[in-house]
Amino acid sequence: FNHILVPLDGTSGSEQALAPAAALAAASDAEVTLFSMVKEAFDAEPESDLVGDRGLYNLKVSIEKQDKVGDYLEKLARKMRLEGLDVCPRVDIGDDSAHLISVAARVLGADMVVMATASVVSTWRAKSVTHKLLSDTNLPLLVIRQQQ
């Protein structure tokens, strides 16, 4: 593999994908992108909003959230760089995690996704990020079962 994308949601469970991703990257001299997303921020309550059902978009709040998540990813990236890995953080703004992961993988030229999930394969719901990602990309997907 040349480029591994690791989606993270800020939980310790999602971080369980880091060690397997690091091992794969070290074995294949691959670049790693730590990826996360922040939900778009809206100001108005939907019932009081005259322009739509989600409220008025607040770019400033979205960017502040993006910066905070970027700091979190950079902290993780620094630890991995100490192991000699080529690691970059990336944060996108949106509201569909699976779609953003898929788009980021294409844009970045990733050839593998390594992620952790709390559910077992037999219980993946049609709307789960893992299930949607399987439908949305043709990349190899290594899914790590989160340990409690």
Side-chain angles (χ1 to χ4, degrees):
F1 299 102
N2 296 311
H3 193 151
I4 300 170
L5 183 72
V6 184
L8 299 162
D9 64 8
T11 64
S12 60
S14 70
E15 291 175 14
Q16 291 177 22
L18 293 173
L24 285 167
S28 60
D29 200 29
E31 178 182 356
V32 177
T33 297
L34 304 180
F35 177 82
S36 194
M37 64 154 280
V38 295
K39 294 224 180 243
E40 298 171 312
F42 295 92
D43 284 336
E45 293 296 320
E47 57 271 6
S48 67
D49 179 17
L50 299 176
V51 295
D53 64 352
R54 298 195 313 174
L56 299 172
Y57 184 65
N58 187 328
L59 180 61
K60 181 179 181 224
V61 171
S62 292
I63 290 173
E64 288 170 355
K65 288 180 181 179
Q66 188 177 27
D67 289 344
K68 183 176 179 181
V69 172
D71 291 344
Y72 157 73
L73 293 180
E74 181 57 38
K75 181 179 174 184
L76 296 174
R78 276 194 301 268
K79 288 181 185 176
M80 294 176 78
R81 287 184 198 118
L82 291 174
E83 299 173 24
L85 299 173
D86 181 8
V87 185
C88 297
R90 180 185 174 106
V91 183
D92 287 347
I93 299 173
D95 59 2
D96 183 342
S97 300
H99 179 71
L100 286 176
I101 293 166
S102 180
V103 168
R106 281 192 299 270
V107 167
L108 296 169
D111 51 6
M112 179 178 216
V113 176
V114 177
M115 63 185 290
T117 183
S119 59
V120 294
V121 174
S122 62
T123 62
W124 285 350
R125 300 178 327 272
K127 292 186 179 185
S128 75
V129 173
T130 306
H131 186 269
K132 287 169 51 176
L133 189 57
L134 282 168
S135 303
D136 203 27
T137 184
N138 60 355
L139 293 177
L141 178 62
L142 174 59
V143 180
I144 309 301
R145 173 86 162 95
Q146 293 176 4
Q147 302 300 309
Q148 299 298 339

